[in-house]
Amino acid sequence: MDKLTPPVELQRITPAKAVVASGIEMIFQSGAERFQALRGIELEIFSDDLELLMGPSGSGKTTLLSILSGILTPTAGTVELLGQEITGLSRGKLAKFRLKNIGFIFQDFNLFPALTAQENVEAVLNLKGIRRQAAKHQAQQLLEQVGLADKVKSLPRDLSGGQKQRVAIARALAGSPRLIMADEPTAALDSQNGHAVIELLRKLAKEEDCTVLMVTHDPRIMDVADRIVYLEDGMISPQAPHFFPVADGASSS
Amino acid sequence: MVSLARKNLFQDLPRFVVAQAGIMFAVSLVTIQTGIFNGFTRSTSLLIDNSNADIWVASEDMRYLDLTLPMPLERVTQAQQVKGVNRAEALIVGGAVWRRPSGEITPVRVVGFNPDGQLFKPWDISQGNLSQLKQPYTVMLDDSDKDGLKVERPGEAAEIGSFPARVVGFTKGIRSVVSSAFVFASLENAYAYDNSPLASAPDNPPRPPGLTATDRITYILIRAQPGTDLQDLQQRLEAALPETRAYTREEMARLNQVYWQKSTGVGFILGLGAVVGVVVGLVIVGQILYASVSDHLKEFGTLKAMGSSDWFIYGVIIKQALWMAVLGYLPGMALCFALGAWTLEAQAIEILISPITATGVFGITIVMCIGAAVFAIQKVTHLDPAIVFKA
Ligand SMILES: Nc1ncnc2c1ncn2[C@@H]1O[C@H](COP(=O)(O)OP(=O)(O)OP(=O)(O)O)[C@@H](O)[C@H]1O
Ligand SMILES: [Mg+2]
């Protein structure tokens, strides 16, 4: 920590940096096989920013996202989320931290197929300690917010891909987490559905006061991003490689 | 609360139905085996349990109800003199041969008692009344033996040994799986049947005489005076009556139950059946739960990634197991009761499902399902939440 870091009490309320990762190395070892997926990652994300993580397939984006959200433990380096160092936490404490602070959006939605849209959101609210009527009510509100007020009783199998992802976004927003981690939320969608989801994410990025880290190949979101980080061969590249479009308003660090 | 367990369970209905069939099978197998065991055990001590005697006095050589040595009737009078005895009555239990009008013979067990007595009588009479048994050569049979003894209604006649036997009534549900058909008669008639000469029946046999002091009976039934210590009374009876042993009703019943359980190995056989039921149930529930968890692995991984504790997920699986247990137990038990009613009606074999059996089987079902859940839980324990980002 440097001298500019605010005192502890203030940090908890509004840490200036939502994510601070330093010296991240990730080596996958299976038998004699050894593969270094990430090397020397230094990354800081300011609170309430929308940060995009881009890069070619296999460059380590998902691996980095998993580490930054406390799902995967790095081989070396430290991760600090919302002012708290999470690298040394026990499995149980990490899980509690994620439950309280992080909302997840997945490429394949990962909805519970047996539950309706509303129940999907409600179940996560239940998990976060919000119960019964309060959970029902909040779930309805969240679905309304993502434009699915008329689909609350639908099962995932009766929803389009885009609608499913919007349910997943409502679920990620359940309990108002401070961080949203999304891995290619539009990759599994056709262009029309992808567009609706992008519109929603853009709106959220502007209106919601939470920090969003999103792995994506989708250029349509680039203009609202506060910053774009490019990964290549497990390393952060200093600027956008030539094959990446650079949108207005976004700059590589 | 959203019940992920219940919804996941009912989502795949065919699989759920297979699982329930498996649990029903296990529940039924365990219940029926236990029920038959209970029914069997009760049937071996049926006459004893339903006597009104506090103490049964038997020959010291008695092995079980049907295998014992006789004693003279005068022992009854002697027993009457013993301090603490309120009432003593004789009982005759002996084997005889029943000959149908068609000439076919069948073994029967003649039970002789005093129709005016208080300590033993057939307790459930469906036709006729006890005083009719005081007439010479009259008997009562059980409804369930009508077929075996080829008798349909009161008034019909057959022969026991070389004496006529006129059926004057019927009892209901007095039948033992370890004994030939019971034939109830007065002491005098029973004595005559028991000691009948081998020759065929004379046309008009003389009325059986009253029993004399030296005539042989089988048991003495004792009712103690109120407030008498039964253990002391047993000792006084054994001292006063040579070559006898006195058993409380419960001891006598237990002795017969243990004898038949041991000599037939029924406990082992039926116990084995019950264990097979549990094992089969365990395997089926285990497989179904395991498959269900495997199917929902990505969801459980998602829950883990989102930060649910392992125990929350175990809770979902255990709840699923409990749902399966309850929803398999209820129809399983219903099936057993239906089957029990039917066998009692059609086969006169009792499947005795006591509240203890029903509760015990429920406990076994719960343990079985949770045991099966442990397999499935293993899978979640080793689940890496990092799978959620993998397509
Ligand atoms: N559990 C693992 N074991 C071994 N190697 C792994 C593991 N996870 C990822 N890798 C390797 O690490 C590298 C980075 O993988 P990662 O999934 O982070 O890439 P990505 O940038 O997300 O790619 P994509 O755009 O295709 O999703 C890949 O070469 C991958 O094979
Ligand atoms: Mg990826």
mmCIF file of all heavy atoms in Angstrom, chain A residues 27-30 35-38 55-66 72 107 183-184 215 217 231 234, chain B residues 384 386 389-390, ligand 1:
data_model
loop_
_atom_site.group_PDB
_atom_site.id
_atom_site.type_symbol
_atom_site.label_atom_id
_atom_site.label_comp_id
_atom_site.label_asym_id
_atom_site.label_seq_id
_atom_site.Cartn_x
_atom_site.Cartn_y
_atom_site.Cartn_z
ATOM 1 N N ILE A 27 0.119 -20.264 -12.903
ATOM 2 C CA ILE A 27 0.707 -21.413 -13.587
ATOM 3 C C ILE A 27 -0.212 -22.609 -13.386
ATOM 4 O O ILE A 27 -0.533 -22.973 -12.257
ATOM 5 C CB ILE A 27 2.114 -21.717 -13.026
ATOM 6 C CG1 ILE A 27 3.048 -20.533 -13.317
ATOM 7 C CG2 ILE A 27 2.663 -23.004 -13.619
ATOM 8 C CD1 ILE A 27 4.347 -20.565 -12.570
ATOM 9 N N PHE A 28 -0.694 -23.175 -14.483
ATOM 10 C CA PHE A 28 -1.502 -24.395 -14.388
ATOM 11 C C PHE A 28 -0.572 -25.586 -14.487
ATOM 12 O O PHE A 28 0.271 -25.664 -15.380
ATOM 13 C CB PHE A 28 -2.533 -24.464 -15.515
ATOM 14 C CG PHE A 28 -3.658 -23.487 -15.337
ATOM 15 C CD1 PHE A 28 -3.790 -22.396 -16.186
ATOM 16 C CD2 PHE A 28 -4.584 -23.646 -14.314
ATOM 17 C CE1 PHE A 28 -4.828 -21.495 -16.030
ATOM 18 C CE2 PHE A 28 -5.622 -22.756 -14.154
ATOM 19 C CZ PHE A 28 -5.745 -21.667 -15.011
ATOM 20 N N GLN A 29 -0.719 -26.476 -13.572
ATOM 21 C CA GLN A 29 0.151 -27.648 -13.553
ATOM 22 C C GLN A 29 -0.722 -28.889 -13.562
ATOM 23 O O GLN A 29 -1.545 -29.096 -12.676
ATOM 24 C CB GLN A 29 0.985 -27.634 -12.267
ATOM 25 C CG GLN A 29 2.057 -28.686 -12.200
ATOM 26 C CD GLN A 29 3.455 -28.057 -12.265
ATOM 27 O OE1 GLN A 29 3.670 -26.993 -11.697
ATOM 28 N NE2 GLN A 29 4.376 -28.693 -12.950
ATOM 29 N N SER A 30 -0.580 -29.691 -14.618
ATOM 30 C CA SER A 30 -1.293 -30.972 -14.574
ATOM 31 C C SER A 30 -0.303 -32.048 -14.949
ATOM 32 O O SER A 30 0.107 -32.164 -16.092
ATOM 33 C CB SER A 30 -2.506 -30.962 -15.510
ATOM 34 O OG SER A 30 -2.104 -30.548 -16.798
ATOM 35 N N PHE A 35 1.846 -24.894 -17.491
ATOM 36 C CA PHE A 35 1.473 -23.840 -18.418
ATOM 37 C C PHE A 35 1.281 -22.532 -17.677
ATOM 38 O O PHE A 35 0.498 -22.441 -16.734
ATOM 39 C CB PHE A 35 0.179 -24.226 -19.146
ATOM 40 C CG PHE A 35 -0.260 -23.187 -20.141
ATOM 41 C CD1 PHE A 35 0.310 -23.135 -21.409
ATOM 42 C CD2 PHE A 35 -1.208 -22.224 -19.796
ATOM 43 C CE1 PHE A 35 -0.073 -22.163 -22.319
ATOM 44 C CE2 PHE A 35 -1.596 -21.256 -20.705
ATOM 45 C CZ PHE A 35 -1.030 -21.221 -21.969
ATOM 46 N N GLN A 36 2.021 -21.542 -18.094
ATOM 47 C CA GLN A 36 1.883 -20.245 -17.439
ATOM 48 C C GLN A 36 0.830 -19.428 -18.186
ATOM 49 O O GLN A 36 1.032 -18.995 -19.320
ATOM 50 C CB GLN A 36 3.212 -19.496 -17.420
ATOM 51 C CG GLN A 36 3.069 -18.142 -16.750
ATOM 52 C CD GLN A 36 4.269 -17.739 -15.936
ATOM 53 O OE1 GLN A 36 5.373 -18.279 -16.092
ATOM 54 N NE2 GLN A 36 4.071 -16.775 -15.034
ATOM 55 N N ALA A 37 -0.313 -19.219 -17.548
ATOM 56 C CA ALA A 37 -1.432 -18.532 -18.187
ATOM 57 C C ALA A 37 -1.365 -17.025 -17.972
ATOM 58 O O ALA A 37 -1.845 -16.259 -18.801
ATOM 59 C CB ALA A 37 -2.751 -19.085 -17.663
ATOM 60 N N LEU A 38 -0.807 -16.608 -16.853
ATOM 61 C CA LEU A 38 -0.704 -15.167 -16.585
ATOM 62 C C LEU A 38 0.681 -14.866 -16.042
ATOM 63 O O LEU A 38 1.244 -15.654 -15.285
ATOM 64 C CB LEU A 38 -1.750 -14.740 -15.541
ATOM 65 C CG LEU A 38 -3.236 -14.828 -15.928
ATOM 66 C CD1 LEU A 38 -4.089 -14.497 -14.712
ATOM 67 C CD2 LEU A 38 -3.567 -13.901 -17.096
ATOM 68 N N GLY A 55 -8.928 -9.348 -25.540
ATOM 69 C CA GLY A 55 -7.729 -10.057 -25.955
ATOM 70 C C GLY A 55 -8.102 -11.300 -26.713
ATOM 71 O O GLY A 55 -9.244 -11.766 -26.628
ATOM 72 N N PRO A 56 -7.157 -11.869 -27.454
ATOM 73 C CA PRO A 56 -7.462 -13.052 -28.252
ATOM 74 C C PRO A 56 -7.787 -14.258 -27.379
ATOM 75 O O PRO A 56 -7.496 -14.276 -26.188
ATOM 76 C CB PRO A 56 -6.181 -13.285 -29.061
ATOM 77 C CG PRO A 56 -5.123 -12.526 -28.365
ATOM 78 C CD PRO A 56 -5.769 -11.422 -27.611
ATOM 79 N N SER A 57 -8.388 -15.244 -28.007
ATOM 80 C CA SER A 57 -8.735 -16.471 -27.292
ATOM 81 C C SER A 57 -7.481 -17.107 -26.705
ATOM 82 O O SER A 57 -6.445 -17.178 -27.360
ATOM 83 C CB SER A 57 -9.419 -17.428 -28.263
ATOM 84 O OG SER A 57 -9.764 -18.605 -27.596
ATOM 85 N N GLY A 58 -7.584 -17.545 -25.483
ATOM 86 C CA GLY A 58 -6.463 -18.204 -24.838
ATOM 87 C C GLY A 58 -5.474 -17.242 -24.218
ATOM 88 O O GLY A 58 -4.449 -17.658 -23.676
ATOM 89 N N SER A 59 -5.783 -15.952 -24.241
ATOM 90 C CA SER A 59 -4.828 -14.980 -23.718
ATOM 91 C C SER A 59 -4.868 -14.899 -22.190
ATOM 92 O O SER A 59 -4.013 -14.263 -21.586
ATOM 93 C CB SER A 59 -5.110 -13.601 -24.325
ATOM 94 O OG SER A 59 -6.437 -13.212 -24.037
ATOM 95 N N GLY A 60 -5.902 -15.514 -21.563
ATOM 96 C CA GLY A 60 -5.936 -15.553 -20.093
ATOM 97 C C GLY A 60 -6.993 -14.660 -19.472
ATOM 98 O O GLY A 60 -6.967 -14.416 -18.262
ATOM 99 N N LYS A 61 -7.958 -14.199 -20.267
ATOM 100 C CA LYS A 61 -8.979 -13.273 -19.748
ATOM 101 C C LYS A 61 -9.828 -13.928 -18.654
ATOM 102 O O LYS A 61 -10.018 -13.361 -17.580
ATOM 103 C CB LYS A 61 -9.895 -12.805 -20.892
ATOM 104 C CG LYS A 61 -9.163 -12.184 -22.062
ATOM 105 C CD LYS A 61 -10.118 -11.724 -23.138
ATOM 106 C CE LYS A 61 -10.888 -12.860 -23.813
ATOM 107 N NZ LYS A 61 -10.039 -13.759 -24.623
ATOM 108 N N THR A 62 -10.331 -15.115 -18.969
ATOM 109 C CA THR A 62 -11.189 -15.801 -17.991
ATOM 110 C C THR A 62 -10.401 -16.137 -16.733
ATOM 111 O O THR A 62 -10.894 -15.994 -15.614
ATOM 112 C CB THR A 62 -11.778 -17.077 -18.617
ATOM 113 O OG1 THR A 62 -12.602 -16.697 -19.712
ATOM 114 C CG2 THR A 62 -12.600 -17.859 -17.620
ATOM 115 N N THR A 63 -9.162 -16.574 -16.953
ATOM 116 C CA THR A 63 -8.323 -16.890 -15.808
ATOM 117 C C THR A 63 -8.154 -15.657 -14.913
ATOM 118 O O THR A 63 -8.307 -15.741 -13.686
ATOM 119 C CB THR A 63 -6.943 -17.383 -16.294
ATOM 120 O OG1 THR A 63 -7.152 -18.469 -17.209
ATOM 121 C CG2 THR A 63 -6.076 -17.847 -15.145
ATOM 122 N N LEU A 64 -7.888 -14.525 -15.523
ATOM 123 C CA LEU A 64 -7.691 -13.299 -14.740
ATOM 124 C C LEU A 64 -8.980 -12.898 -14.020
ATOM 125 O O LEU A 64 -8.964 -12.541 -12.836
ATOM 126 C CB LEU A 64 -7.212 -12.158 -15.655
ATOM 127 C CG LEU A 64 -6.916 -10.833 -14.947
ATOM 128 C CD1 LEU A 64 -5.890 -11.018 -13.825
ATOM 129 C CD2 LEU A 64 -6.437 -9.765 -15.936
ATOM 130 N N LEU A 65 -10.096 -12.992 -14.746
ATOM 131 C CA LEU A 65 -11.385 -12.639 -14.135
ATOM 132 C C LEU A 65 -11.668 -13.538 -12.921
ATOM 133 O O LEU A 65 -12.133 -13.067 -11.881
ATOM 134 C CB LEU A 65 -12.516 -12.783 -15.159
ATOM 135 C CG LEU A 65 -13.863 -12.224 -14.737
ATOM 136 C CD1 LEU A 65 -13.852 -10.710 -14.797
ATOM 137 C CD2 LEU A 65 -14.988 -12.779 -15.610
ATOM 138 N N SER A 66 -11.363 -14.838 -13.071
ATOM 139 C CA SER A 66 -11.585 -15.776 -11.959
ATOM 140 C C SER A 66 -10.731 -15.398 -10.752
ATOM 141 O O SER A 66 -11.187 -15.482 -9.612
ATOM 142 C CB SER A 66 -11.253 -17.204 -12.378
ATOM 143 O OG SER A 66 -11.999 -17.566 -13.514
ATOM 144 N N LEU A 72 -10.514 -18.231 -8.174
ATOM 145 C CA LEU A 72 -9.287 -18.974 -8.459
ATOM 146 C C LEU A 72 -8.153 -18.301 -7.677
ATOM 147 O O LEU A 72 -8.077 -17.075 -7.626
ATOM 148 C CB LEU A 72 -9.019 -18.893 -9.970
ATOM 149 C CG LEU A 72 -8.061 -19.888 -10.601
ATOM 150 C CD1 LEU A 72 -8.582 -21.306 -10.451
ATOM 151 C CD2 LEU A 72 -7.889 -19.558 -12.097
ATOM 152 N N GLN A 107 -21.229 -16.365 -19.571
ATOM 153 C CA GLN A 107 -21.490 -16.495 -21.003
ATOM 154 C C GLN A 107 -22.727 -17.359 -21.277
ATOM 155 O O GLN A 107 -23.540 -17.031 -22.121
ATOM 156 C CB GLN A 107 -20.249 -17.125 -21.652
ATOM 157 C CG GLN A 107 -20.366 -17.299 -23.143
ATOM 158 C CD GLN A 107 -19.047 -17.770 -23.754
ATOM 159 O OE1 GLN A 107 -17.981 -17.651 -23.151
ATOM 160 N NE2 GLN A 107 -19.110 -18.290 -24.954
ATOM 161 N N ASP A 183 -18.262 -12.503 -17.792
ATOM 162 C CA ASP A 183 -17.391 -13.140 -18.780
ATOM 163 C C ASP A 183 -18.150 -13.322 -20.084
ATOM 164 O O ASP A 183 -19.028 -14.176 -20.181
ATOM 165 C CB ASP A 183 -16.894 -14.493 -18.254
ATOM 166 C CG ASP A 183 -15.735 -15.026 -19.099
ATOM 167 O OD1 ASP A 183 -15.237 -14.266 -19.957
ATOM 168 O OD2 ASP A 183 -15.336 -16.179 -18.894
ATOM 169 N N GLU A 184 -17.824 -12.522 -21.061
ATOM 170 C CA GLU A 184 -18.435 -12.596 -22.388
ATOM 171 C C GLU A 184 -19.963 -12.726 -22.338
ATOM 172 O O GLU A 184 -20.509 -13.716 -22.831
ATOM 173 C CB GLU A 184 -17.824 -13.764 -23.174
ATOM 174 C CG GLU A 184 -16.314 -13.746 -23.095
ATOM 175 C CD GLU A 184 -15.652 -14.431 -24.273
ATOM 176 O OE1 GLU A 184 -16.278 -14.488 -25.343
ATOM 177 O OE2 GLU A 184 -14.502 -14.877 -24.119
ATOM 178 N N VAL A 215 -15.287 -9.175 -19.470
ATOM 179 C CA VAL A 215 -14.521 -9.747 -20.571
ATOM 180 C C VAL A 215 -15.449 -9.731 -21.776
ATOM 181 O O VAL A 215 -16.581 -10.193 -21.682
ATOM 182 C CB VAL A 215 -14.107 -11.192 -20.260
ATOM 183 C CG1 VAL A 215 -13.477 -11.836 -21.485
ATOM 184 C CG2 VAL A 215 -13.170 -11.248 -19.074
ATOM 185 N N HIS A 217 -15.740 -9.410 -26.408
ATOM 186 C CA HIS A 217 -15.209 -9.153 -27.742
ATOM 187 C C HIS A 217 -16.105 -8.158 -28.456
ATOM 188 O O HIS A 217 -15.931 -7.885 -29.631
ATOM 189 C CB HIS A 217 -15.177 -10.449 -28.561
ATOM 190 C CG HIS A 217 -14.191 -11.455 -28.058
ATOM 191 N ND1 HIS A 217 -12.838 -11.295 -28.221
ATOM 192 C CD2 HIS A 217 -14.363 -12.621 -27.395
ATOM 193 C CE1 HIS A 217 -12.223 -12.330 -27.671
ATOM 194 N NE2 HIS A 217 -13.119 -13.142 -27.165
ATOM 195 N N LEU A 231 -5.243 -8.034 -23.026
ATOM 196 C CA LEU A 231 -4.374 -9.132 -22.593
ATOM 197 C C LEU A 231 -3.834 -9.835 -23.825
ATOM 198 O O LEU A 231 -4.551 -10.016 -24.816
ATOM 199 C CB LEU A 231 -5.173 -10.161 -21.788
ATOM 200 C CG LEU A 231 -5.184 -10.117 -20.262
ATOM 201 C CD1 LEU A 231 -5.851 -11.391 -19.733
ATOM 202 C CD2 LEU A 231 -3.785 -9.991 -19.675
ATOM 203 N N GLY A 234 -1.118 -13.854 -21.768
ATOM 204 C CA GLY A 234 -1.048 -13.804 -20.309
ATOM 205 C C GLY A 234 -0.439 -12.533 -19.764
ATOM 206 O O GLY A 234 -0.167 -12.446 -18.561
ATOM 207 N N ASP B 384 -15.029 -27.619 -8.312
ATOM 208 C CA ASP B 384 -14.278 -26.373 -8.367
ATOM 209 C C ASP B 384 -15.178 -25.287 -8.959
ATOM 210 O O ASP B 384 -15.643 -25.419 -10.084
ATOM 211 C CB ASP B 384 -13.039 -26.595 -9.257
ATOM 212 C CG ASP B 384 -12.168 -25.344 -9.314
ATOM 213 O OD1 ASP B 384 -12.555 -24.325 -8.699
ATOM 214 O OD2 ASP B 384 -11.122 -25.403 -9.974
ATOM 215 N N ALA B 386 -14.526 -22.737 -10.290
ATOM 216 C CA ALA B 386 -13.971 -22.133 -11.500
ATOM 217 C C ALA B 386 -14.595 -22.706 -12.770
ATOM 218 O O ALA B 386 -14.457 -22.129 -13.848
ATOM 219 C CB ALA B 386 -12.455 -22.310 -11.528
ATOM 220 N N PHE B 389 -17.004 -20.537 -15.423
ATOM 221 C CA PHE B 389 -16.647 -19.691 -16.553
ATOM 222 C C PHE B 389 -16.284 -20.513 -17.777
ATOM 223 O O PHE B 389 -15.981 -19.986 -18.826
ATOM 224 C CB PHE B 389 -15.495 -18.757 -16.173
ATOM 225 C CG PHE B 389 -15.918 -17.653 -15.241
ATOM 226 C CD1 PHE B 389 -15.236 -17.410 -14.064
ATOM 227 C CD2 PHE B 389 -17.006 -16.849 -15.559
ATOM 228 C CE1 PHE B 389 -15.628 -16.394 -13.224
ATOM 229 C CE2 PHE B 389 -17.407 -15.829 -14.714
ATOM 230 C CZ PHE B 389 -16.719 -15.599 -13.542
ATOM 231 N N LYS B 390 -16.267 -21.835 -17.581
ATOM 232 C CA LYS B 390 -15.949 -22.700 -18.722
ATOM 233 C C LYS B 390 -17.235 -23.011 -19.470
ATOM 234 O O LYS B 390 -18.234 -23.389 -18.854
ATOM 235 C CB LYS B 390 -15.318 -24.007 -18.229
ATOM 236 C CG LYS B 390 -14.033 -23.795 -17.427
ATOM 237 C CD LYS B 390 -12.810 -23.744 -18.316
ATOM 238 C CE LYS B 390 -11.525 -23.599 -17.518
ATOM 239 N NZ LYS B 390 -11.316 -22.234 -17.002
HETATM 240 N N1 LIG C 1 -7.652 -25.311 -15.423
HETATM 241 C C1 LIG C 1 -6.742 -25.164 -16.384
HETATM 242 N N2 LIG C 1 -5.749 -26.054 -16.527
HETATM 243 C C2 LIG C 1 -4.808 -25.914 -17.473
HETATM 244 N N3 LIG C 1 -4.802 -24.893 -18.332
HETATM 245 C C3 LIG C 1 -5.749 -23.955 -18.264
HETATM 246 C C4 LIG C 1 -6.777 -24.035 -17.281
HETATM 247 N N4 LIG C 1 -7.593 -22.977 -17.437
HETATM 248 C C5 LIG C 1 -7.099 -22.266 -18.466
HETATM 249 N N5 LIG C 1 -5.992 -22.851 -18.949
HETATM 250 C C6 LIG C 1 -5.180 -22.346 -20.055
HETATM 251 O O1 LIG C 1 -4.863 -20.988 -19.801
HETATM 252 C C7 LIG C 1 -4.955 -20.251 -20.977
HETATM 253 C C8 LIG C 1 -5.888 -19.080 -20.780
HETATM 254 O O2 LIG C 1 -7.182 -19.563 -20.658
HETATM 255 P P1 LIG C 1 -8.439 -18.642 -20.494
HETATM 256 O O3 LIG C 1 -9.626 -19.468 -20.364
HETATM 257 O O4 LIG C 1 -8.156 -17.659 -19.405
HETATM 258 O O5 LIG C 1 -8.449 -17.869 -21.897
HETATM 259 P P2 LIG C 1 -9.452 -16.777 -22.432
HETATM 260 O O6 LIG C 1 -8.655 -15.561 -22.698
HETATM 261 O O7 LIG C 1 -10.589 -16.652 -21.527
HETATM 262 O O8 LIG C 1 -9.904 -17.401 -23.805
HETATM 263 P P3 LIG C 1 -11.326 -17.352 -24.522
HETATM 264 O O9 LIG C 1 -11.434 -16.014 -25.170
HETATM 265 O O10 LIG C 1 -11.257 -18.440 -25.535
HETATM 266 O O11 LIG C 1 -12.351 -17.580 -23.490
HETATM 267 C C9 LIG C 1 -5.414 -21.185 -22.065
HETATM 268 O O12 LIG C 1 -4.271 -21.567 -22.834
HETATM 269 C C10 LIG C 1 -5.973 -22.348 -21.348
HETATM 270 O O13 LIG C 1 -5.756 -23.529 -22.052
#
